[in-house]
Amino acid sequence: MIWIFDSIILIFLVVTAIISLQVKDLLSASMIFGVYSFLMCLLWAGMAAVDVAFTEAAVGAGVSAVFLIATVFRTSRRSSD
Amino acid sequence: MELFEAISTKINYWVYIVIMMIGLFAMISKNNLIKKLIGMSIFQTAIILFYVSIGVKEGATIPILYHDQVHAAHGDHGEADTSHGEHGAVESHEADIHINPDDFTNPLVHVLMLTAIVVGVSTLGVGLAITQKLHREFGSIEEHEILEIIKSGK
Amino acid sequence: MSAVSDFPDWGDPHSPANSYRLSQGYITDTFPQTSVPNMVTAVLADYRGYDTMFETVVIFTAGIAIIGILRRYGPKDKVIPEQKLYKKEPDLIVETTCRLMIPIIQLFALYVVAHGHHSPGGGFQGGVIFGASFILLALARDLQAAQKWVPESRILKLAGTGIFIYAGFGFLCLLLGSNFLDYAILHKVMGVTPIEARSHSMLGVEIGVAFTVTAIMFSIYSNLASNGYMKEGL
């Protein structure tokens, strides 16, 4: 049963990775990267790696998304590809 | 059916390779520097996913001991401490706990990846700082525009 | 891709990585040797103490590098007109929510640091959460409000203090006649059994890590968000 849950998360993971690299607006790209990190964190919590999941929830979904957004606001928001 | 078996038992590894290739593709072919950094982070998480997948054991729990195991050891430890002193405490500790390694997931890979995540965010920060510096110098974060400005300046 | 079929099956307890005696030894021996139930923290702070110490130094170096790359002094030469859109006036809902949330976040961060032996957590996570509370303050008010608590001069002192605490534990062990970062010898100073000394010094080391990570996370944010001027944030 748990592998169905895992597979759904893994599929979403690939989808969010592709979207965050394809979208032209860099602000949305950073937000979707945050979603990607959070899905990764869920996956690791399911694999019993609680410490790693905790770190990823704090670092990946929280702080690094904020860093990306700060840089996007200080540079330009459009991307050519 | 054999193919399905081959994929379903190793789906983590397949997805890890797919994500890693997505990240590598972004690092090589994207023009935008922030996109490149997002690709780098995706590459990094793919590697971490691989390591964590290695450490998984079927039917094992998180690498923290159960509450009653800890309590039993602590109660015993207190008595031993008063009666025998330090060396007695050491012996009783080793004697009364039996931990089956198959009951807990592999903590070693978690430790390695824990530090990798935190170092990853600081490298991301350095990359973003360099991006801002480039934007300050050239007014653009597109790689081809920056290269053109450098060429025309010569 | 063809290498995937050579990987061990998912969740196999007898795969090479899981059946190697080092990782099995970490599982079985951690609690008898250190009296810490959370094996991840124990391996992180004790068995692999060198590793973690230099990870902390890496983070410190990254913070210094960002200050070196981005920091600018003096008045602003040109104001990007786009920034004027984000001029903020105080918002009642945001202010009140932050005033309620930030103490809880900081309390939780301290709990994560202090309780890292018994539950998931530790210096890195607690430090990041504590730094995130200052980032939240900077986002909700402005950078000045957060810098009242963590001014720039204090950041480097805090980060240095963290590494000093970590290395200090190592050198204390060295002074007492043991190996570097071999905490068992510290029972002479702490007055507990050698096993508990290892547990307590792990807590001290985690506090050092938390200091560094908190300071550096806020430093990275404030440099990135203010484009090096440290005057106005987002």
Side-chain angles (χ1 to χ4, degrees):
Chain A
M1 191 57 212
I2 190 80
W3 73 271
I4 299 175
F5 187 64
D6 268 1
S7 319
I8 293 170
I9 293 178
L10 285 167
I11 292 165
F12 268 111
L13 211 57
V14 176
V15 170
T16 45
I18 292 174
I19 290 176
S20 80
L21 290 170
Q22 287 300 322
V23 75
K24 293 264 195 293
D25 186 2
L26 284 175
L27 186 62
S28 347
S30 341
M31 297 306 285
I32 295 167
F33 179 67
V35 174
Y36 169 86
S37 292
F38 191 72
L39 285 173
M40 204 56 135
C41 151
L42 279 183
L43 190 64
W44 288 335
M47 284 192 211
V50 270
D51 276 272
V52 185
F54 195 174
T55 318
E56 178 73 14
V59 169
V63 174
S64 69
V66 172
F67 288 173
L68 279 169
I69 291 169
T71 308
V72 169
F73 270 104
R74 284 294 164 187
T75 55
S76 69
R77 199 173 153 174
R78 294 265 167 272
S79 156
S80 67
D81 51 358
Chain B
M1 203 56 209
E2 234 173 59
L3 185 71
F4 178 75
E5 280 277 296
I7 290 177
S8 71
T9 55
K10 292 170 185 165
I11 183 165
N12 275 42
Y13 300 116
W14 285 102
V15 174
Y16 133 71
I17 288 188
V18 170
I19 294 173
M20 195 169 81
M21 287 305 138
I22 291 171
L24 189 63
F25 170 77
M27 279 169 77
I28 292 173
S29 75
K30 293 285 175 189
N31 261 323
N32 193 295
L33 291 173
I34 292 180
K35 281 281 173 69
K36 271 180 194 283
L37 284 170
I38 292 178
M40 189 187 79
S41 294
I42 287 174
F43 195 98
Q44 228 163 25
T45 37
I47 302 281
I48 298 170
L49 173 64
F50 167 61
Y51 268 76
V52 173
S53 307
I54 283 180
V56 173
K57 292 175 191 168
E58 192 86 64
T61 181
I62 57 174
I64 298 174
L65 292 183
Y66 296 115
H67 203 61
D68 44 352
Q69 277 175 323
V70 174
H71 263 279
H74 268 300
D76 206 10
H77 170 233
E79 287 167 24
D81 201 20
T82 49
S83 54
H84 306 290
E86 285 160 11
H87 294 286
V90 174
E91 277 159 21
S92 77
H93 254 283
E94 279 170 359
D96 75 337
I97 304 171
H98 297 289
I99 300 163
N100 183 11
D102 285 352
D103 284 350
F104 300 97
T105 42
N106 195 341
L108 183 60
V109 288
H110 297 179
V111 173
L112 299 178
M113 291 308 108
L114 197 73
T115 43
I117 292 175
V118 182
V119 170
V121 76
S122 49
T123 49
L124 179 72
V126 174
L128 291 172
I130 294 173
T131 309
Q132 286 199 12
K133 185 85 174 174
L134 282 173
H135 184 261
R136 204 188 281 167
E137 295 284 321
F138 296 108
S140 163
I141 53 169
E142 306 286 327
E143 196 186 4
H144 57 100
E145 288 175 14
I146 293 174
L147 286 176
E148 259 171 35
I149 294 171
I150 293 175
K151 268 181 201 158
S152 64
K154 260 185 186 174
Chain C
M1 280 241 173
S2 65
V4 170
S5 54
D6 291 341
F7 283 142
D9 282 352
W10 190 80
D12 180 14
H14 303 293
S15 64
N18 286 337
S19 58
Y20 187 55
R21 60 192 154 75
L22 178 67
S23 51
Q24 294 206 340
Y26 279 143
I27 296 175
T28 49
D29 297 346
T30 297
F31 188 70
Q33 285 177 0
T34 64
S35 84
V36 170
N38 186 353
M39 301 162 201
V40 176
T41 310
V43 178
L44 182 84
D46 193 322
Y47 296 104
R48 297 196 161 258
Y50 263 120
D51 231 1
T52 313
M53 188 172 112
F54 284 103
E55 305 274 7
T56 319
V57 176
V58 165
I59 293 167
F60 183 73
T61 317
I64 303 267
I66 287 173
I67 292 174
I69 290 169
L70 272 184
R71 186 80 175 93
R72 284 184 291 185
Y73 296 94
K76 271 194 176 179
D77 36 9
K78 54 177 180 181
V79 178
I80 310 165
E82 196 187 355
Q83 305 299 326
K84 300 218 160 171
L85 291 175
Y86 309 112
K87 226 33 184 177
K88 56 189 57 154
E89 54 264 9
D91 184 352
L92 181 68
I93 295 173
V94 173
E95 289 251 321
T96 317
T97 315
C98 284
R99 189 163 294 159
L100 290 175
M101 282 302 290
I102 285 173
I104 297 173
I105 292 175
Q106 292 184 344
L107 204 61
F108 180 66
L110 293 178
Y111 162 77
V112 167
V113 174
H115 217 254
H117 309 59
H118 298 269
S119 57
F124 286 113
Q125 293 95 325
V128 170
I129 294 172
F130 209 89
S133 74
F134 290 120
I135 291 177
L136 177 62
L137 183 62
L139 281 173
R141 306 281 291 278
D142 53 0
L143 204 55
Q144 303 289 320
Q147 280 193 336
K148 227 187 284 170
W149 298 99
V150 199
E152 203 194 356
S153 59
R154 208 178 286 170
I155 281 175
L156 285 180
K157 278 180 208 157
L158 269 178
T161 312
I163 292 180
F164 186 75
I165 291 173
Y166 204 135
F169 269 95
F171 281 114
L172 200 59
C173 300
L174 211 58
L175 280 180
L176 288 170
S178 178
N179 289 326
F180 191 67
L181 289 174
D182 188 1
Y183 309 129
I185 196 74
L186 287 179
H187 74 275
K188 287 180 184 166
V189 185
M190 290 177 178
V192 287
T193 59
I195 294 170
E196 286 193 342
R198 288 176 88 166
S199 163
H200 292 326
S201 15
M202 255 181 249
L203 176 63
V205 160
E206 298 270 14
I207 290 171
V209 173
F211 267 113
T212 307
V213 174
T214 304
I216 294 300
M217 283 299 153
F218 183 69
S219 150
I220 293 176
Y221 168 76
S222 53
N223 269 304
L224 284 178
S226 65
N227 206 353
Y229 281 116
M230 295 281 214
K231 290 232 170 81
E232 357 179 317
L234 285 182

